[in-house]
Amino acid sequence: MRVQPAAFLRTTLPVDLSGLRELDGGRYHSVWLPDHMVSFWPDSIWTPEFTDLATAAPSPHRHLDGLAVAAAAAVLTERVPLVSAVVDTVRRHPALLAQTAVTIDHLARGRFILGLGSGESENIVPYGFDFSRSVSRFEEALTVIRLLWDSDGPVDFDGRFYSLRHARLDAEPYADRPPQIWVGASGPRMLEIAGRYADGWWPAGAWTPEQYAEMLAALRASAERAGRDPLAITPCFIQVCLIGADEAALAEILRAPLVKAFVLQVSAETLRGFGFTHPMGEDWRGFQDIDPAALTRDRIVDFLGNVRPEMVLAVVPHGTPKEVANTVKTYVDAGLRVPKILDYGAMAGLEYAKASAANVIAAEDELIRLCADVS
């Protein structure tokens, strides 16, 4: 398949679907819709003291139901596939996920893709959901979804987490083809599961093209063991980056507290691999440990004081749009085919947020040029 970028559709307030016509024009492989209860940014620094973004939005957590927004997008578009990126299998029962995906796919006339993951604590633990054995729960949820899609008539199922008794989903898939399932997976077990079930894949974090290639190889090996075509799985990636017009702009972006806070999403183990000690301690697990409400101002101020620009630059592509495109191309060489270039420089403040969209488009244009002969 050719290399083609993906787009994001915001699922936060204020809701804005006015750009869907442009996203539906053929430039993008697919449109990805996040599904969160909260964001990664700590409440303690979402204040005018730290960022002028707080003057425009009272909270960084104004999330809407991503699947509901996908249903609206389905009836407002005609061509582009729509992907939930990603829905966890903890907050929603797999039977409900199976029915919702079929519903949206009918509204989209076969263009909906169900993106699934095992979950993140900040969206689950505060709401009282059981987050134990999340990978096993995820695998069983996939089994239930496929069972309901593939069975004619009522089905029974006895699992560790879910039980079905004469359960049925008689709403047939659109054009007799169930929606594709894309899986967010990075660890060995999740990659093995994704190889057996997924039609598309993206990792939660691949900090080098070599790491991306290793994960993709593990995924494809699992698919082969399952008797599936490994090359039929679409390799994707949300490529977080920092785009600036020049070195001075990039230096200014790196001083922004919310940009520094990206290091919270990186594990101590990963940062150690780049030669740095994580400011949150040697046991910090990255995004899995983020609780935006619990990270106090004092702790975050101390953390920010110990974040060095080199830490951020080590884990994300950075530079001008052309420089970022050249870095993303190294991931394409490692097997990536559907990149979403996500400019974290927008978190530097309102001025940079305004410039971010144009920077991303410029990086996409350059990447498309660089990948014209890649298939």
Side-chain angles (χ1 to χ4, degrees):
M1 61 178 295
R2 69 189 179 102
V3 177
Q4 190 176 10
F8 260 176
L9 180 64
R10 281 179 45 203
T11 54
T12 55
L13 290 174
V15 62
D16 182 8
L17 303 181
S18 62
L20 279 172
R21 182 182 297 276
E22 182 177 353
L23 298 181
D24 199 30
R27 174 185 178 89
Y28 294 106
H29 173 279
S30 43
V31 173
W32 300 353
L33 297 92
D35 184 79
H36 282 260
M37 298 294 288
V38 298
S39 297
F40 292 122
W41 300 294
D43 298 345
S44 56
I45 57 172
W46 193 270
T47 70
E49 176 188 0
F50 293 98
T51 176
D52 62 0
L53 294 172
T55 65
S59 166
H61 312 303
R62 302 163 75 201
H63 292 276
L64 301 172
D65 185 320
L67 293 177
V69 178
V75 300
L76 294 173
T77 53
E78 297 180 355
R79 300 173 55 187
V80 68
L82 304 167
V83 190
S84 59
V86 295
V87 179
D88 68 68
T89 52
V90 178
R91 289 177 293 146
R92 292 177 172 90
H93 192 283
L96 179 61
L97 283 170
Q99 183 189 40
T100 300
V102 167
T103 301
I104 301 174
D105 201 38
H106 275 275
L107 295 173
R109 298 176 297 282
R111 292 178 291 115
F112 181 66
I113 296 169
L114 180 61
L116 295 173
S118 60
E120 297 162 339
S121 60
E122 80 278 0
N123 291 310
I124 293 169
V125 174
Y127 304 96
F129 294 104
D130 182 5
F131 197 35
S132 62
R133 302 181 297 277
S134 59
V135 174
S136 296
R137 184 187 303 271
F138 173 78
E139 182 174 15
E140 192 168 298
L142 285 176
T143 300
V144 171
I145 290 169
R146 290 291 193 194
L147 181 64
L148 289 170
W149 282 350
D150 297 339
S151 299
D152 293 324
V155 298
D156 294 334
F157 178 80
D158 289 301
R160 185 178 184 181
F161 305 98
Y162 305 107
S163 297
L164 305 180
R165 291 290 178 272
H166 306 298
R168 59 196 308 152
L169 182 58
D170 287 358
E172 65 273 11
Y174 182 84
D176 293 323
R177 186 189 65 184
Q180 289 190 23
I181 291 178
W182 287 9
V183 171
S186 295
R189 253 187 92 196
M190 284 293 290
L191 289 168
E192 195 277 330
I193 294 167
R196 289 190 280 113
Y197 286 96
D199 302 295
W201 161 76
W202 41 156
W207 306 108
T208 66
E210 293 78 15
Q211 186 180 19
Y212 188 92
E214 290 173 6
M215 291 182 185
L216 181 57
L219 174 87
R220 287 174 168 169
S222 172
E224 286 185 345
R225 289 192 295 271
R228 304 182 67 214
D229 178 3
L231 298 181
I233 301 174
T234 302
C236 310
F237 191 33
I238 300 172
Q239 181 70 75
V240 176
C241 59
L242 293 176
I243 307 178
D246 49 38
E247 288 187 8
L250 186 61
E252 185 69 24
I253 288 169
L254 285 164
R255 284 193 284 270
L258 290 181
V259 174
K260 289 183 176 182
F262 178 76
V263 176
L264 290 171
Q265 300 183 38
V266 183
S267 72
E269 180 182 4
T270 294
L271 208 56
R272 190 161 48 246
F274 288 101
F276 301 104
T277 299
H278 203 292
M280 294 298 283
E282 287 299 312
D283 296 327
W284 185 255
R285 298 180 301 163
F287 64 86
Q288 294 182 23
D289 279 345
I290 296 176
D291 184 342
L295 291 170
T296 65
R297 181 188 184 280
D298 288 345
R299 190 178 187 194
I300 292 299
V301 168
D302 181 67
F303 158 80
L304 292 174
N306 288 290
V307 173
R308 295 158 51 190
E310 294 82 5
M311 294 176 180
V312 183
L313 296 178
V315 295
V316 297
H318 52 275
T320 65
K322 285 190 175 183
E323 289 171 335
V324 166
N326 275 279
T327 303
V328 177
K329 174 61 164 56
T330 65
Y331 284 78
V332 171
D333 295 339
L336 172 64
R337 289 298 177 267
V338 185
K340 166 58 191 134
I341 297 176
L342 177 62
D343 177 27
Y344 218 79
M347 303 312 299
L350 292 173
E351 177 185 350
Y352 291 96
K354 290 178 182 178
S356 181
N359 285 336
V360 169
I361 289 174
E364 290 172 350
D365 285 344
E366 179 64 12
L367 181 64
I368 290 170
R369 186 190 70 79
L370 291 171
C371 299
D373 298 327
V374 177
S375 60

